[in-house]
Each structure stands twice: as C-alpha cells, then as structure tokens.
Amino acid sequence: MTRLLVAVLVAGLVLAPEAARAQQKPAERPAKVTKRAGKPSANDVRLARAEEAFSRGRAEEARYLLARIPAGSLPRASEEAAAYLRAAVAPAGPEHSAALVEYLRAFPEGKRRREATLLLAKLRYVEGDYGAAENLLSIFSPGVEKDKVGREAIVTRGLAELARGDAAGAFQFLVSAEGDLKGTDQEESYYFAVSQAALRAGKAVEAMDALKVILDRHAQGDYAPQALYAMGVSLETLGRAADAANVFRQVAQRFPDSYEAARVRDRGIRPGASSASAFPIGGGFAIQVGAFSRRDLAESLARDLRQAGVGSVSLKQGSESPPIFRVRAGSFASRDEARALGERLRRERGFSYQVVPR
C-alpha cells in the first residue's frame, strides 16, 4: 500500500488523544490551601485535576491547570508527573518535541519514560525521521510487552522499519510480535501493519492472511475499508484480476463514502454485479488436510505447508472437549478450485484431504 496509508495508520494508532482536545478554557474551581496536616495543597489539587483531564482527552484543560502550578513548587515525584503532562499536552510542533526531550533528560528513571518515548517516536515518524523513531522504540521488544503502551510501540516500531525501506525486516519483526498483539485492543491496527509490510515485501499471500483476520473479526472496524482495498491489491499482485475487481466493487458497495471507494472509482470500477469467480470474503471453500488432538502436531503441519508455499494456511480449534485442531489451506470460490489444490498435495506430498466451507 502507499506510504500515505501507512502514515494514516500511525496517525490513527498514535495521535488519537490529540483529536480529543477541548477547545474551551475551563473556569478553574477555587482550590484553597489548607494548613492542616495531610491535606493536599492547591498545587496538588491542580495537578490531580490536570491528570484527570488528560486521561479524559481534555488536553486544553490540562494545559491550563498545569500553567497555574509555579515551577519548583512540587516535590520531586509530583514534579515528574507535572513535567510529563506538560510535555504530553504541549502544542504540536517544536515545543511538543522539546518538552518530551527535556522530560527524558531531566528524569532518567522517570515512571513515564515509556509513554514519553513512544510520544517522541510518533513525532519523529510524522516528521519523516523513521530511523530516529525506530531507534527510540528499540527499548520495546516482542515477548515482553504486556500493556497498551508496549503494544502500540511494537506496531509503530514495525511501521518505522517499513517506512525506512526494510519491508522484509519489518514483516519479520511484526510477525514475531503476533503473540503480544493477537486478541488485544490493538489487534486490528497490528494486522493491517503486517499486511502492509507483507505487500511491500512481495508476500501477497501472507498479506491476505493478515487482512482476513481484520475482515473476519473487525468487519466494521476502523481499518475495514483499507483492509478490503488491500485485499484487492493483494489479489491483483497474484494475477487474479477478476477476483481483485470484484473485491474492489465490494469496497465501493460497503464503504461508499470512504477514501478507498474513491480510489476504486479512480480505477474506473463501478459497483455492480460480481462475476461467478468473485473472491469470497467470509465464504468460499478450503481443504482440510489434518485434524489432531494435539495442538503442537497441528502447528507443525501448518508450518510445513507454509514452507512448501501453500497459501492461506489456518489452524481451527474446534468446540469439542477436548478440542480438535484442524489444519486447512486455500481460499477458493468453488469446490473444484479447492479440490485441485487437494489433488496436488495428494500427488506431491501424499496428503489425504477433504473440501470444507471456509
């Protein structure tokens, strides 16, 4: 996909809090200083209210409250919290970047360093300094990230590597992080990032596998129009022009007001009846080549099939107790097309198979 779509992905993934900024300056409720022990000071109250406003996406309110806290009036721990908030809600531009850099310099052991690093990396990405963004995010690694910040950082790191020009490296990095992202709130943006890296690396089949996750699990999600359009591009790359055209028509039919629908129209494609060979989204046929009570055996077979160049390999866990793990391959509009793959695998690898609904 184009660099524009990748940039849109980063903006949607990373800069969403900026869109929620309020435009009105609030009238500050009076916060009285009390001399009784254990009671918060006026500045403590302002900081607490600023943190609450920030958490609710009201950056303008948080900025207003923070401006009323004199420098040096807070203890070290509270001063760190205030410094991070000032950096996070600073106006877009050099001031925002400088505030984040200053926070990271002044608080080398700060509790909000991960968040500040992610924010600064986002800025570097948007500025086009992809190498700097990737370097900043090198502190985040697959297999260890357990929170939203870490998961967003992994996706952004993969996108920075992709934008820097290393599509193959970005694809491998993102694939290695599937365990961190699958099933999380960041799953949709993650699989779209995987698809873009796969397409740029010349791996159209792998791109389709990632896109199918989005179209199956997030059919009305933020990335659905982009994912469906990317599916058409993937099919086109594989030489399946008729199937690609039918998927493009689905984009125009299902998401007529989207940017992707406009791109479909620019291709000269108009919504209409699809041909009999339409690529099945959420339908069609596959072949089942194995069913196991042990997941590791099913995963081994799926891995062997992928290494043999078989496309759209999936592992389906049944609802039985104990569950059966079924290995399936292919994605076809007709039973005859699926049967052709099964016969090839039977001749070449000795597999038995059955045609099943996808």
Side-chain angles (χ1 to χ4, degrees):
M1 294 291 289
T2 64
R3 181 170 296 178
L4 171 62
L5 281 182
V6 177
V8 168
L9 172 60
V10 173
L13 176 69
V14 207
L15 300 178
E18 290 298 313
R21 288 183 171 179
Q23 299 300 315
Q24 297 291 326
K25 269 191 180 180
E28 186 187 6
R29 296 190 302 271
K32 295 182 179 180
V33 180
T34 177
K35 297 182 179 180
R36 287 184 291 174
K39 293 294 184 178
S41 69
N43 290 330
D44 291 328
V45 172
R46 291 184 181 109
L47 177 58
R49 289 176 55 203
E51 289 178 323
E52 180 184 1
F54 177 71
S55 70
R56 295 177 180 273
R58 301 197 299 265
E60 191 70 26
E61 179 181 348
R63 188 157 56 232
Y64 172 75
L65 290 163
L66 291 165
R68 295 180 62 83
I69 302 177
S73 64
L74 295 169
R76 176 73 174 175
S78 296
E79 186 57 44
E80 183 209 330
Y84 169 74
L85 288 176
R86 288 190 185 98
V89 302
E95 184 179 343
H96 191 189
S97 178
L100 289 167
V101 170
E102 175 57 23
Y103 168 80
L104 291 170
R105 184 202 65 77
F107 300 94
E109 304 296 328
K111 293 181 179 180
R112 309 298 291 272
R113 284 187 64 82
R114 296 170 78 250
E115 292 97 321
T117 299
L118 176 57
L119 284 173
L120 185 58
K122 300 167 189 177
L123 291 178
R124 295 292 180 259
Y125 186 100
V126 172
E127 292 164 356
D129 194 346
Y130 307 122
E134 186 179 353
N135 288 337
L136 282 165
L137 295 170
S138 63
I139 65 171
F140 300 92
S141 300
V144 298
E145 306 302 337
K146 304 301 180 185
D147 63 4
K148 181 176 182 288
V149 171
R151 292 190 294 266
E152 287 190 359
I154 285 177
V155 177
T156 309
R157 178 178 168 183
L159 289 170
E161 191 170 358
L162 174 61
R164 188 172 52 76
D166 186 3
F171 176 73
Q172 291 301 323
F173 173 77
L174 289 167
V175 168
S176 73
E178 184 173 25
D180 298 89
L181 278 298
K182 185 177 181 180
T184 70
D185 291 342
Q186 290 74 44
E187 177 183 74
E188 187 183 2
S189 59
Y190 164 72
Y191 280 110
F192 190 73
V194 172
S195 75
Q196 301 314 287
L199 274 173
R200 296 272 290 277
K203 299 177 180 290
V205 171
E206 288 83 352
M208 289 169 63
D209 288 341
L211 293 166
K212 286 173 187 172
V213 175
I214 299 174
L215 296 171
D216 287 344
R217 303 181 192 170
H218 308 279
Q220 300 300 321
D222 293 339
Y223 295 95
Q226 298 176 59
L228 196 55
Y229 186 89
M231 183 69 79
V233 173
S234 301
L235 288 164
E236 209 170 44
T237 302
L238 292 172
R240 297 171 61 178
D243 290 339
N246 283 316
V247 171
F248 288 138
R249 288 190 185 95
Q250 290 187 49
V251 175
Q253 290 167 350
R254 292 170 56 183
F255 307 103
D257 299 325
S258 67
Y259 170 71
E260 288 68 33
R263 299 182 71 192
V264 168
R265 290 189 289 272
D266 288 343
R267 287 172 171 267
I269 298 173
R270 296 292 182 268
S274 299
S275 70
S277 62
F279 181 79
I281 301 297
F285 302 93
I287 61 168
Q288 184 168 299
V289 293
F292 305 86
S293 59
R294 288 174 50 186
R295 187 183 187 98
D296 61 329
L297 295 177
E299 289 176 339
S300 177
L301 174 58
R303 186 165 51 250
D304 289 345
L305 288 170
R306 292 189 184 101
Q307 290 174 350
V310 178
S312 300
V313 177
S314 63
L315 191 156
K316 304 289 186 181
Q317 179 176 334
S319 57
E320 308 94 342
S321 183
I324 300 297
F325 299 94
R326 297 171 173 84
V327 180
R328 297 178 177 177
S331 181
F332 303 98
S334 69
R335 288 183 178 275
D336 288 342
E337 289 176 306
R339 192 173 294 111
L341 173 61
E343 287 299 312
R344 178 170 71 83
L345 291 178
R346 183 182 62 79
R347 290 192 307 270
E348 296 177 359
R349 305 288 296 275
F351 288 136
S352 58
Y353 73 91
Q354 64 182 104
V355 177
V356 295
R358 195 169 164 72

